[in-house]
């Protein structure tokens, strides 16, 4: 059997924040290996560091120590520009608070990362339309995001995260603000994208039902990431 390289490896990742005089160790030597096509859930109480961890994995912040490797790129010792390039080319983020631009349309928001990367023309536009259709927003392309419902906005955020065809999707509570039925739909969409595009996905969630439907579930507790049996 041919053994494939893992898509993502994090080793001994630590991170602290200073809170007044106090030094708070949020993450303590976290290890994680992801294989291409895996869907992994991360659960854990509020304030345990789940968002911080996703930011580190996606190169949005730097760990105090530890090493990371993703899709053939070593993340250690990268300067800000190199890290930004890695992020743009490799990572799709769905943020806990979606950070869409409310006065721009669903399509404009979706293709924005492509435009920023210097892509233009009908292909980008077409892929944006395809992704919006995929997330169930056909017919809403020209609506401004400020007019869309919370669930629709969350789905635009997902389309936007996918526009650059990332190798790794990091989704921070993508169903957090949705009613159970819409939440389930967004989740099923993630599952079908995972299947069709072999998209490796890490999803932070408080929803144990959804976490239980992923390949693996990990819990972040007291700075350590361990396997979680649901
Ligand atoms: N930039 C920062 N400066 C100082 N402290 C921070 C910073 N970012 C996060 N923290 C602290 O680190 C801890 C972990 O925050 P984080 O947002 O990662 O938690 P979380 O697990 O995502 O929580 P939630 O489930 O509520 O989203 C919190 O106590 C938070 O206050
Ligand atoms: Mg969070």
């Amino acid at each position: 059997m041919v053994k494939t390289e893992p898509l993502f490896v994090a080793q001994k990742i630590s991170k602290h924040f200073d809170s007044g005089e106090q030094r708070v160790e949020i993450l303590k030597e976290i290890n994680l290996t992801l294989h291409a096509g895996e869907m992994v859930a991360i659960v854990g109480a509020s304030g345990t560091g789940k968002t911080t961890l996703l930011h580190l994995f996606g190169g949005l912040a730097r760990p105090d120590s530890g090493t990371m490797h993703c899709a053939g790129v070593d993340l250690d010792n990268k300067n800000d520009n190199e890290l930004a390039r890695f992020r743009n080319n490799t990572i799709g983020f769905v943020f806990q608070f979606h950070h869409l631009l409310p006065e721009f349309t669903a399509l404009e928001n979706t293709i924005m990362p492509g435009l920023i990367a210097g892509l233009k023309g009908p292909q980008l536009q077409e892929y944006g339309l395809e992704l919006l259709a995929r997330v169930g927003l056909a017919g809403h392309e020209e609506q401004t995001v400020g007019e869309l419902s919370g669930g629709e906005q969350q789905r635009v955020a997902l389309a936007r995260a996918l526009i650059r065809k990332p190798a790794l999707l990091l989704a921070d509570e993508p169903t957090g603000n949705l009613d159970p039925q819409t939440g389930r739909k967004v989740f099923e969409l993630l599952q079908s994208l995972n299947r069709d595009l072999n998209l490796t996905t890490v999803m932070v969630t408080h929803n144990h039902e959804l976490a239980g439907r992923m390949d693996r579930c990990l819990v972040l507790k007291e700075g350590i990431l361990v396997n979680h049996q649901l």
Side-chain angles (χ1 to χ4, degrees):
M1 202 171 87
V2 183
K3 215 164 172 221
T4 51
E5 281 283 300
L7 178 83
F8 176 87
V9 181
Q11 283 175 314
K12 295 194 166 188
I13 296 296
S14 296
K15 181 78 177 172
H16 83 280
F17 289 117
D18 292 316
S19 168
E21 300 281 276
Q22 261 198 329
R23 180 187 165 95
V24 186
E25 304 292 338
I26 301 290
L27 303 171
K28 300 171 189 164
E29 301 200 338
I30 299 267
N31 296 314
L32 180 65
T33 299
L34 298 172
H35 291 278
E38 262 197 298
M39 264 192 115
V40 175
I42 296 180
V43 300
S46 178
T48 46
K50 303 179 299 297
T51 295
T52 305
L53 189 61
L54 285 198
H55 285 179
L56 295 176
F57 285 172
L60 273 170
R62 292 172 199 274
D64 298 337
S65 57
T67 64
M68 278 185 289
H69 192 84
C70 183
V73 180
D74 235 325
L75 294 195
D76 319 321
N77 311 315
K78 288 254 172 293
N79 67 34
D80 289 352
N81 285 339
E82 290 167 334
L83 214 50
R85 199 172 318 128
F86 158 77
R87 260 193 330 260
N88 294 335
N89 290 334
T90 313
I91 303 290
F93 264 110
V94 179
F95 293 95
Q96 190 166 3
F97 306 100
H98 55 65
H99 303 305
L100 296 165
L101 300 170
E103 65 279 20
F104 287 83
T105 67
L107 182 60
E108 286 165 342
N109 270 280
T110 299
I111 65 174
M112 197 76 73
L115 294 175
I116 291 168
L119 306 174
K120 357 182 180 355
Q123 267 171 332
L124 180 66
Q125 182 107 349
E126 265 165 40
Y127 192 48
L129 292 171
E130 187 185 321
L131 285 173
L132 284 171
R134 185 90 221 219
V135 300
L137 290 176
H140 293 279
E141 298 89 349
E142 299 303 329
Q143 228 174 323
T144 62
V145 156
E147 290 169 3
L148 297 176
S149 76
E152 289 165 346
Q153 292 179 354
Q154 202 61 274
R155 285 181 278 157
V156 175
L158 185 53
R160 180 187 56 179
L162 296 171
I163 192 79
R164 302 279 327 272
K165 303 186 176 162
L168 176 61
L169 181 72
L170 301 172
D172 198 351
E173 298 191 39
T175 64
N177 301 315
L178 307 178
D179 66 80
Q181 200 184 350
T182 313
R184 222 169 284 133
K185 270 199 199 143
V186 169
F187 176 73
E188 276 154 17
L189 179 68
L190 279 173
Q191 275 188 316
S192 70
L193 291 165
N194 166 260
R195 263 197 314 269
D196 301 349
L197 310 175
N198 199 36
L199 182 66
T200 312
T201 305
V202 178
M203 182 177 93
V204 167
T205 183
H206 286 289
N207 184 326
H208 283 223
E209 179 212 323
L210 298 186
R213 290 164 62 185
M214 300 185 68
D215 296 327
R216 274 197 284 161
C217 179
L218 305 167
V219 60
L220 184 60
K221 199 173 174 187
E222 292 166 10
I224 294 165
L225 200 54
V226 290
N227 281 322
H228 191 52
Q229 296 298 333
L230 287 165

